[in-house]
């Protein structure tokens, strides 16, 4: 008799689990998933990494337990502004501008470059530089700030990796130091967080001043490669610290690598509504570090044909690591000269050198300073 009751109880339990699992799996977004009331014994939880709904404790859920989203109020915000390819091509100019040698700039030359090559009647406001090398000697790291009254937009662009010396240092610190806690929770690569500690306080204090005067303007954050990772970290921090509202923030990045653990990515996805990561086929950088270690943020724009132009066809992917987009090519890396060139070309040929011919200025290493002291070039009064 006891065996019969135990068997019957197991059958009923598995029936309830199966019913709950089927009901959960049918839900296609976080709100409907966490609001589903088909079975109170096995509530649905949302996995923000795969954008799938599972019963609580499901073995098929790829999310860690502490990343589950169990209630609607914890759901990430949806993308508020659709991807715009024309805008992406324009913002890419600023991602490239961050690489330019910005010291000893002739203001007249700079004004002419902005007027002739960058639409929107933008004016450069400030170029912030910090000496960021830890072990290898290379030039300062840069973030620039510009503004357009015509577009009612402020743009912030982070410089990407400058040269092989900086790349070696990134790889070495990743191998030796691993991840570092961020000021908003979660962890990112040690090199990225160290760079944030140098540049973010300088950027934050200046943006507070500008946004106080132009509170109705939008803020666009951008960067290529390493600069794309830095732009995403700074964007989430600005929202968390209430420097900017997520409704007034846009993030467009190009060929950015993975840089954050699942906790930071989950925080980012809740904070930043409009985030578009552009990735093209055969670009090796977005595939590193490997996905079992770090993750991408939401909002992938996938180009299956290398050589991105304003007319290129693309696919929008909702999952952070979507198998129908960049993951469709598998984890195999390509570091041939051709693949490296592909990484450098997003709407612009060789983004790292696109503005060198303009002779904006020569390289300069700022004096080493204590944390929090900002070395910057101010153009706001020009």
């Amino acid at each position: 008799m006891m065996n019969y009751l135990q068997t019957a109880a197991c059958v009923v339990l598995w029936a309830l689990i199966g019913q709950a699992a089927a009901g959960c799996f049918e839900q296609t977004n976080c709100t409907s998933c966490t609001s589903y009331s088909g079975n109170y014994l096995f509530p649905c939880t949302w996995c923000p990494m795969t954008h799938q709904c599972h019963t609580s404790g499901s073995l098929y859920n790829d999310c860690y337990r502490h990343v589950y989203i169990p209630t609607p109020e914890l759901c990430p915000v949806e993308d508020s502004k659709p991807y715009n390819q024309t805008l992406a091509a324009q913002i890419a100019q600023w991602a490239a501008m961050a690489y330019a040698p910005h010291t000893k700039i002739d203001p007249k030359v700079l004004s002419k470059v902005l007027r002739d090559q960058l639409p929107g009647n933008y004016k450069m406001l400030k170029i912030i530089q910090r000496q960021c090398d830890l072990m290898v000697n290379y030039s300062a790291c840069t973030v620039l700030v510009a503004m357009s009254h015509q577009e009612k937009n402020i743009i912030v662009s982070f410089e990407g990796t400058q040269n092989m010396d900086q790349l070696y240092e990134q790889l070495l610190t990743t191998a030796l130091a691993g991840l570092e806690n961020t000021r908003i929770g979660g962890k990112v690569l040690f090199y990225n967080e160290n760079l944030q500690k140098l540049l973010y306080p300088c950027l934050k204090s200046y943006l507070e001043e500008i946004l106080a005067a132009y509170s109705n303007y939008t803020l666009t954050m951008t960067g290529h490669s390493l600069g794309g990772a830095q732009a995403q970290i700074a964007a989430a921090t600005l929202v968390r610290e209430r420097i900017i509202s997520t409704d007034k923030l846009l993030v467009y990045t190009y060929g950015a690598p993975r840089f954050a653990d699942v906790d930071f990515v989950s925080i980012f996805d809740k904070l930043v509504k409009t985030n578009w990561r552009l990735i093209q086929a055969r670009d090796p950088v977005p595939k590193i570090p490997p996905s079992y270690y770090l993750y991408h943020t939401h909002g992938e724009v996938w180009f299956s044909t290398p050589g991105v132009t304003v007319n290129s066809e693309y696919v929008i992917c909702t999952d952070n690591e979507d198998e129908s987009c960049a993951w469709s090519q598998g984890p195999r890396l390509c570091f041939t000269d051709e693949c490296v060139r592909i990484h450098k070309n997003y709407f612009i040929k060789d983004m790292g050198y696109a503005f060198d011919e303009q002779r904006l200025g020569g390289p300069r290493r700022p004096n080493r300073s204590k944390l929090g002291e900002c070395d910057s070039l101010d153009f706001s009064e020009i």
Side-chain angles (χ1 to χ4, degrees), residues 213-235:
Y214 301 98
S215 58
N216 62 326
Y217 281 29
T218 56
L219 176 65
T220 300
M221 310 281 289
T222 191
H224 169 255
S225 196
L226 168 67
Q230 296 306 113
Q232 292 175 79
I233 299 171

Side-chain angles (χ1 to χ4, degrees), residues 186-201:
K187 295 181 179 182
V188 300
L189 288 173
F190 175 86
Y191 186 91
N192 295 75
E193 180 59 18
N194 181 70
L195 188 50
Q196 284 290 311
K197 289 177 180 177
L198 291 170
L199 290 174
Y200 180 79

Side-chain angles (χ1 to χ4, degrees), residues 19-153:
Q19 179 186 10
C24 292
F25 194 72
E26 291 174 355
Q27 310 309 311
T28 58
N29 61 68
C30 182
T31 302
S32 66
C33 172
T34 53
S35 301
Y36 181 70
S37 57
N39 194 318
Y40 292 106
L41 294 177
F42 305 99
C44 300
T45 58
W46 183 254
C47 176
M49 303 305 302
T50 61
H51 288 238
Q52 291 181 335
C53 188
H54 301 274
T55 53
S56 180
S58 169
L59 298 177
Y60 299 99
N61 194 339
D62 292 331
C63 278
Y64 296 117
R65 182 176 297 277
H66 65 282
V67 181
Y68 292 171
I69 298 178
T71 58
E73 58 269 18
L74 296 178
C75 288
V77 293
E78 301 296 330
D79 294 321
S80 63
K81 298 179 180 65
Y83 172 71
N84 184 320
Q85 186 125 306
T86 300
L87 179 62
Q90 294 172 359
I91 296 174
Q93 297 268 8
W94 286 102
M97 173 65 81
Y99 283 103
H102 293 113
T103 55
K104 302 178 183 178
I105 291 178
D106 183 338
K108 293 182 180 179
V109 175
L110 177 61
S111 296
K112 185 178 186 302
V113 170
L114 296 181
R115 183 178 63 251
D116 294 348
Q117 294 188 229
L118 297 169
N121 196 25
Y122 277 87
K123 177 182 179 181
M124 189 74 74
L125 297 181
K126 188 178 285 286
I127 298 172
I128 301 168
Q129 294 182 307
R130 295 300 307 275
Q131 195 57 46
C132 55
D133 56 328
L134 297 170
M135 295 171 284
V136 184
N137 194 26
Y138 52 85
S139 298
C141 296
T142 300
V143 56
L144 60 84
V145 184
M147 181 167 62
S148 168
H149 295 298
Q150 176 181 313
E151 302 293 332
K152 292 188 175 181
N153 182 54

Side-chain angles (χ1 to χ4, degrees), residues 10 37 78 122 163 189 285 303 320 325 333 339 346 368 371:
C10 288
S37 57
E78 301 296 330
Y122 277 87
N163 50 45
L189 288 173
V285 173
F303 299 86
N320 299 65
C325 285
L333 297 175
C339 290
Y346 281 83
R368 289 190 174 274
L371 188 64

